[in-house]
Amino acid sequence: MEKNGDIDYKAMFEDIDKEDYKEIYTRELVDYMRSINKDVNYEVIQIFDRLTEDEHETVTYRQFCKVMDEIIAAGWTPNSKEKSGILDLDVKAVFQLVDMDHSGMISRLELKMAADYLGKKYGVKGYKKWRKLMMEVDMDKDGRLSFNEFKKLVKKVQTEFKEDMEEETSNIETTYDGKDGADVVHADEANDGQE
């Protein structure tokens, strides 16, 4: 089934599977579902808990459709996806997920995984920026981040991405072309769309 009512499974799966691996982690699925609607009933919570028992389990698109049917049958409905900022709960969950050796510290490699994950979910992409800011928050300069340093990094990344988005928006000028009543958007010469 490609759709259930107004819910487009294919679009949802592709939104989670940005790298086009053709499979997604069940943890990503549950986090995505919670980002769309945090107000879920007990039956849906039980399904989410079952799906996240093994954090390394993946599902293909066909399996995703079956899981979605089950979640929707249990009463889950979509709300508008919130993009207000990275939730503290997600920061903690991602830190625990990528701290592979359970040392309480994350390395540069583990940071790349965290950046990929949070970038996918919240749109704060660009590992180079994460790495640059990592050097700023790594107080003891050991190339690893404690949880508190990671939290500071996430806040800095959010702030910088927000500022970048505001700057991009302010570099776009909207003018009226006077022909058919449509506005024409012209990009600022300094930002010709090439990056």
Side-chain angles (χ1 to χ4, degrees):
M1 174 183 264
E2 294 284 318
K3 277 187 151 189
N4 187 323
D6 291 334
I7 302 170
D8 184 349
Y9 289 173
K10 189 83 170 154
M12 288 177 79
F13 187 83
E14 288 171 356
D15 196 27
I16 301 169
D17 184 29
K18 298 246 188 268
E19 294 85 13
D20 199 26
Y21 291 143
K22 308 291 187 222
E23 64 181 9
I24 58 174
Y25 286 101
T26 53
R27 164 69 65 193
E28 289 178 306
L29 165 61
V30 169
D31 288 345
Y32 182 85
M33 301 301 288
R34 285 186 170 140
S35 76
I36 294 174
N37 185 352
K38 292 173 187 56
D39 186 26
V40 295
N41 64 35
Y42 180 72
E43 194 175 342
V44 173
I45 290 170
Q46 286 183 309
I47 295 168
F48 286 173
D49 288 347
R50 187 188 79 232
L51 289 170
T52 56
E53 283 176 0
D54 178 2
E55 63 187 41
H56 301 291
E57 183 178 352
T58 60
V59 292
T60 63
Y61 176 69
R62 175 177 273 153
Q63 294 165 323
F64 171 80
C65 290
K66 289 178 183 175
V67 169
M68 286 302 301
D69 284 343
E70 180 184 5
I71 291 170
I72 290 169
W76 181 90
T77 58
N79 285 342
S80 61
K81 191 171 180 183
E82 297 174 14
K83 291 283 188 181
S84 59
I86 299 174
L87 303 172
D88 286 340
L89 184 64
D90 285 336
V91 173
K92 185 175 184 177
V94 168
F95 186 87
Q96 290 173 339
L97 182 70
V98 300
D99 181 17
M100 303 302 256
D101 61 359
H102 304 289
S103 66
M105 304 288 278
I106 60 172
S107 66
R108 288 186 181 128
L109 175 63
E110 291 167 330
L111 175 64
K112 181 163 181 9
M113 291 187 296
D116 288 345
Y117 184 80
L118 291 171
K120 219 189 287 188
K121 184 169 180 183
Y122 290 99
V124 287
K125 297 176 182 167
Y127 175 66
K128 287 180 184 178
K129 183 170 287 203
W130 283 85
R131 181 130 186 242
K132 177 187 140 244
L133 293 171
M134 176 189 185
M135 291 186 257
E136 290 178 23
V137 300
D138 183 11
M139 295 304 171
D140 55 4
K141 306 297 181 206
D142 65 350
R144 298 167 13 129
L145 296 178
S146 68
F147 177 67
N148 287 332
E149 290 171 329
F150 181 66
K151 272 176 52 175
K152 286 178 191 171
L153 172 63
V154 170
K155 297 235 183 282
K156 276 184 158 290
V157 167
Q158 284 186 106
T159 301
E160 288 222 2
F161 273 94
K162 183 178 178 190
E163 289 169 359
D164 289 351
M165 292 301 292
E166 288 169 358
E167 187 177 316
E168 282 180 30
T169 304
S170 70
N171 286 339
I172 296 176
E173 174 188 330
T174 304
T175 59
Y176 175 71
D177 73 356
K179 293 179 184 169
D180 60 3
D183 288 338
V184 178
V185 178
H186 300 280
D188 176 276
E189 289 178 3
N191 182 11
D192 63 357
Q194 298 174 353
E195 295 195 23

